[in-house]
Amino acid sequence: MTTQVEPLAKAQECLAYTVCMSRVEEVTRRFTSEFAAKAERVVAVDFMQDFMDKNEKTNKDFGNIDFICNDVTQLTQEVESADLIFSNWLLMYLEDQEIQKLLVKLLSWLKPGGHFFLRESCRDPSGDKQRSQNPTQYRDHTIYEAFMASTIQHEGDTEFVSMLKLQPGQKILDVGGGIGGGAFYMAKEFGVKATILDLSSNMTQIGLERAQELGIGPDEVCFEIADATKREYPRELFDVVYSRDTILHIEDKLSLFKKFFKWIKPGGKVLISDYCCSDGPHSKEFKAYVEQRGYNLLSPVQYGKLLEEAGFIHVLAEDRSEQFTQILHKELEKTESIREEFIKEFSEEDYNYIINGWKDKVQRAGQGDQRWGLFMAEKPEAV
């Protein structure tokens, strides 16, 4: 036990995030003890009050532990307050988008140079699609979430990329493009050098496997696992920043757009497609959906104004909701036509998840709440 945490013992403050499974409540108390013996302050978090009470009873004599019973996805902490964040069997219980949102928060809580250490039950990294007998513990949304994203995004890549008028040798930053899609297309068709920046290691792993299958090497497309809001690149490094349906998760879009502006060469372009919302009031159902997903949505007009505020010119901000609905209907028909093959490859549960998800999007778009926007802008030649 001690050997597992010894490399992290230099931390002056740690946040222990734990979720109970099997005998994990015992593990929680033991890890808390290890950290409390070495750290100046420990914040121990669990969403089960009974287990937190047991932890407090066991470790109350240390005097340097804050015991918090809370859902970690709802937890708030001061920015740059922790030297170490320790997570024990937590992420496997969360949806991919919940993990992404949580990781953004965790990064903001860490001090510069801080450490994030996690223990997780994982699936085989070789890509074996055999499923666990415990779907609650190991339910894998990554594969079919990637399927959903890639089919919709592929429909727009040809049209949207043509708007950029790419030239061989240009440098492209694909933000949130972990599974490859647009970056692969641009590298093969136009000879550009693409960097894919994605926060999800799962999506990036899929992208790496696809790159190998397609014969795309690191000299054409390279991958980085990082938070775009935290990442820094040299000024004027890229000719284009490209992002498909990713920035909806980011609250401070203006700061991100200012980063894009800094990273793009004079005369370079940014092209984004993203989920949006309508102007005016929204239905209770749509508000609940946005909150559950952790989205931060703007109307297409608001989106365009933020790009202008970041310094871009010739801003194109189009509501492409009708096109989005057409794509969804097309993919619904296509997926329904291969129902048996899909279920054989994945499962009926996965099939229903995709079909129902697309139908819900069609309904929300038809009601006017959910919109889909296309945005393109340029950096002035002389800044």
Side-chain angles (χ1 to χ4, degrees), residues 147-208:
F147 176 85
M148 292 177 68
S150 63
T151 51
I152 294 174
Q153 291 178 4
H154 176 73
E155 289 288 339
D157 283 332
T158 302
E159 176 195 355
F160 296 165
V161 169
S162 68
M163 299 168 65
L164 295 170
K165 303 187 185 304
L166 297 176
Q167 300 297 320
Q170 286 186 319
K171 294 183 178 180
I172 313 299
L173 178 64
D174 187 347
V175 177
I179 59 176
F184 293 168
Y185 173 71
M186 288 184 275
K188 283 299 186 184
E189 294 296 321
F190 299 94
V192 301
K193 310 297 182 182
T195 297
I196 295 177
L197 180 66
D198 202 297
L199 187 61
S200 170
S201 60
N202 290 332
M203 293 298 189
T204 301
Q205 180 62 38
I206 294 173
L208 286 166

Side-chain angles (χ1 to χ4, degrees), residues 16-32 44-60 65-70 88-89 93:
Y17 294 124
T18 56
V19 169
C20 299
M21 167 187 160
S22 185
R23 295 183 63 198
V24 74
E25 69 274 15
E26 179 183 345
V27 175
T28 297
R29 299 196 298 272
R30 290 163 52 198
F31 271 117
T32 301
V45 182
D46 198 299
F47 75 95
M48 295 292 289
Q49 186 65 59
D50 183 46
F51 296 148
M52 183 52 63
D53 290 343
K54 292 179 182 178
N55 192 0
E56 186 170 3
K57 182 178 180 180
T58 300
N59 294 304
K60 62 181 180 180
I65 306 172
D66 295 333
F67 298 94
I68 299 176
C69 182
N70 197 356
N88 184 67
W89 292 346
Y93 286 93

Side-chain angles (χ1 to χ4, degrees), residues 96-363:
D96 286 351
Q97 291 170 339
E98 289 179 314
I99 293 173
Q100 185 175 17
K101 186 176 180 181
L102 175 60
L103 289 175
V104 170
K105 291 205 302 183
L106 298 184
L107 285 171
S108 73
W109 298 343
L110 277 176
K111 295 178 182 178
H115 296 273
F116 178 39
F117 184 92
L118 62 92
R119 300 169 73 243
E120 288 293 334
S121 295
C122 301
R123 300 180 70 232
D124 185 36
S126 67
D128 180 9
K129 295 184 178 62
Q130 182 177 358
R131 292 178 176 270
S132 164
Q133 296 301 311
N134 185 351
T136 301
Q137 178 180 344
Y138 291 103
R139 185 178 181 191
D140 179 17
H141 285 92
T142 300
I143 294 175
Y144 51 96
E145 285 281 13
F147 176 85
M148 292 177 68
S150 63
T151 51
I152 294 174
Q153 291 178 4
H154 176 73
E155 289 288 339
D157 283 332
T158 302
E159 176 195 355
F160 296 165
V161 169
S162 68
M163 299 168 65
L164 295 170
K165 303 187 185 304
L166 297 176
Q167 300 297 320
Q170 286 186 319
K171 294 183 178 180
I172 313 299
L173 178 64
D174 187 347
V175 177
I179 59 176
F184 293 168
Y185 173 71
M186 288 184 275
K188 283 299 186 184
E189 294 296 321
F190 299 94
V192 301
K193 310 297 182 182
T195 297
I196 295 177
L197 180 66
D198 202 297
L199 187 61
S200 170
S201 60
N202 290 332
M203 293 298 189
T204 301
Q205 180 62 38
I206 294 173
L208 286 166
E209 293 171 0
R210 293 184 64 201
Q212 187 174 16
E213 292 171 0
L214 296 171
I216 296 175
D219 57 325
E220 298 172 283
V221 178
C222 64
F223 293 81
E224 289 189 28
I225 301 175
D227 180 353
T229 67
K230 302 286 186 180
R231 184 69 168 92
E232 292 295 342
Y233 290 105
R235 285 182 172 273
E236 301 179 3
L237 178 63
F238 299 104
D239 296 280
V240 171
V241 171
Y242 187 81
S243 182
R244 298 294 309 280
D245 304 347
T246 297
I247 299 173
L248 69 164
H249 296 284
I250 296 173
E251 183 174 2
D252 189 359
K253 293 177 174 55
L254 178 58
S255 294
L256 181 65
F257 294 162
K258 288 180 177 179
K259 280 178 173 280
F260 292 172
F261 187 85
K262 180 176 66 175
W263 298 340
I264 293 175
K265 299 175 182 178
K269 297 181 176 67
V270 58
L271 191 147
I272 300 167
S273 72
D274 212 358
Y275 285 19
C276 297
C277 63
S278 62
D279 289 310
H282 303 125
S283 66
K284 291 181 180 180
E285 293 77 12
F286 184 70
K287 290 179 181 178
Y289 161 75
V290 170
E291 181 178 359
Q292 188 271 329
R293 288 287 187 170
Y295 292 163
N296 289 278
L297 304 184
L298 301 173
S299 71
V301 172
Q302 291 171 322
Y303 218 108
K305 288 181 177 178
L306 282 186
L307 286 168
E308 291 178 345
E309 188 174 347
F312 289 100
I313 61 174
H314 304 150
V315 175
L316 172 73
E318 294 185 346
D319 187 330
R320 292 291 190 99
S321 301
E322 184 176 348
Q323 180 183 9
F324 183 61
T325 302
Q326 292 173 352
I327 292 172
L328 288 170
H329 279 299
K330 185 186 300 184
E331 294 307 322
L332 272 169
E333 294 175 3
K334 183 188 301 183
T335 307
E336 288 172 340
S337 70
I338 59 169
R339 181 180 184 277
E340 297 303 321
E341 296 92 328
F342 188 95
I343 291 175
K344 184 178 180 180
E345 175 71 13
F346 299 103
S347 73
E348 186 170 4
E349 182 183 18
D350 298 345
Y351 174 82
N352 291 333
Y353 180 87
I354 287 180
I355 293 296
N356 293 335
W358 279 338
K359 287 180 178 179
D360 289 343
K361 285 183 173 65
V362 170
Q363 182 177 3

